[in-house]
Amino acid sequence: MIIASNFKTNHTRESAKEYLVKLNHFVKENSIKEDILIFPPSTALDNYKLENTIKIGVQNAYPTDKGSFTGEVGFTQIDEFDIKTILVGHSERRHILKESDELIVKKYNFYKDKCYKIVYCIGEPKEVRNEGLEKVLEYNFSQLDGIDLSYENLIVAYEPVWAIGTGVSATKEDIEETLSALRKSIKAPLLYGGSVKVDNLKEILEIEDCDGVLVGTASWEVENFKEMVKIAHEL
Ligand code: PEP
């Protein structure tokens, strides 16, 4: 099972370190075997010494080794911290930062060539969900255009835009039918993301085609995230 935490624009370098020390201690003491992925902001990247089951990833990186891309980090900057995991296509980057499908595919291919573990996010807006499952699948599959689905280090995160950061998760039925339809074409692990919390985690992780979760808001407080890791571990 995969439990991922996206810090987004939260935590400082110091608080991220404190968080990771506490999480690492918890994982070690409880012999947690779940795969834990943590995506801190880029200012908090470092060569952390963590248990093997905890991996640090970047929330974003430009598809370049180095160069003139003001405000961006590239492969050289993240490789300094021996990072091998990246989030690509998060809806906040697609919708707020206006990242195009073309750039997202470029990032995917660039970091695939570097053998990164790629958590690739897809998900439909509310107006598409309102049109029913067929349209939802059409939309989500269109976001997979140009992506090599057979890449061995791929993880796909289904994150309906309307459920992200709203406190309102998709229903169990919505998640179930969407993941099972995606599963027909995707052999890679499938995560669900969108207002996952301690209270709904177990129900979501019990869905047949769900291999884990990507959590934002509910993961920012380490005690809460530890509770979520514990729930996954006990399943
Ligand atoms: C996310 O940012 O990927 C996410 C799922 O956020 P939240 O858990 O806050 O909805």
Side-chain angles (χ1 to χ4, degrees):
M1 208 161 310
I2 301 166
I3 310 292
S5 162
N6 177 10
F7 281 16
K8 310 193 191 194
T9 319
N10 297 282
H11 278 292
T12 60
R13 185 175 179 78
E14 201 180 328
S15 70
K17 188 175 172 194
E18 268 169 38
Y19 183 109
L20 287 166
V21 166
K22 286 181 186 163
L23 179 65
N24 196 55
H25 180 75
F26 176 76
V27 165
K28 194 171 175 182
E29 289 298 294
N30 294 282
S31 307
I32 304 280
K33 298 284 173 266
E34 268 53 50
D35 288 318
I36 299 175
L37 306 176
I38 307 287
F39 296 91
S42 56
T43 52
L45 299 178
D46 211 339
N47 289 100
Y48 296 106
K49 299 280 168 277
L50 301 167
E51 294 295 293
N52 283 338
T53 50
I54 308 177
K55 300 272 182 289
I56 300 293
V58 284
Q59 296 174 21
N60 174 52
Y62 205 71
T64 188
D65 282 330
K66 58 183 182 158
S68 300
F69 304 97
T70 302
E72 295 285 321
V73 294
F75 171 73
T76 313
Q77 287 78 43
I78 50 182
D79 191 51
E80 183 182 4
F81 304 113
D82 211 17
I83 283 168
K84 298 270 176 272
T85 306
I86 185 168
L87 263 187
V88 175
H90 192 278
S91 72
E92 285 155 11
R93 296 212 59 90
R94 291 178 189 268
H95 298 283
I96 303 173
L97 283 308
K98 309 287 178 216
E99 227 168 70
S100 67
D101 289 348
E102 198 190 349
L103 178 59
I104 290 167
V105 170
K106 231 173 158 179
K107 287 184 181 183
Y108 181 84
N109 288 329
F110 183 87
Y111 286 97
K112 173 178 169 263
D113 287 347
K114 303 281 190 198
C115 301
Y116 271 49
K117 189 190 286 288
I118 300 176
V119 179
Y120 186 81
C121 304
I122 55 175
E124 79 287 349
K126 189 66 181 166
E127 59 274 19
V128 175
R129 173 51 73 177
N130 290 343
E131 286 181 68
L133 184 62
E134 200 179 316
K135 291 285 178 206
V136 166
L137 294 177
E138 207 177 279
Y139 188 96
N140 279 283
F141 277 111
S142 77
Q143 292 188 321
L144 293 164
D145 273 355
I147 299 302
D148 173 11
L149 293 178
S150 63
Y151 175 46
E152 57 185 5
N153 287 325
L154 169 65
I155 296 168
V156 174
Y158 167 60
E159 300 206 297
V161 178
W162 46 275
I164 295 184
T166 58
V168 183
S169 168
T171 62
K172 185 175 180 231
E173 293 67 33
D174 283 345
I175 303 171
E176 227 156 28
E177 63 179 8
T178 311
L179 292 185
S180 97
L182 291 170
R183 171 62 75 221
K184 293 193 180 105
S185 313
I186 303 171
K187 298 292 162 264
L190 293 175
L191 309 185
Y192 167 76
S195 299
V196 177
K197 344 176 207 276
V198 168
D199 293 352
N200 60 12
L201 178 65
K202 184 168 181 285
E203 178 180 75
I204 292 169
L205 289 178
E206 281 172 347
I207 293 172
E208 200 184 329
D209 293 302
C210 183
D211 301 303
V213 285
L214 174 54
V215 190
T217 317
S219 69
W220 299 337
E221 210 272 297
V222 70
E223 294 307 319
N224 218 39
F225 190 61
K226 276 162 55 180
E227 186 61 31
M228 298 178 102
V229 171
K230 184 164 169 264
I231 290 169
H233 178 65
E234 286 170 356
L235 270 182

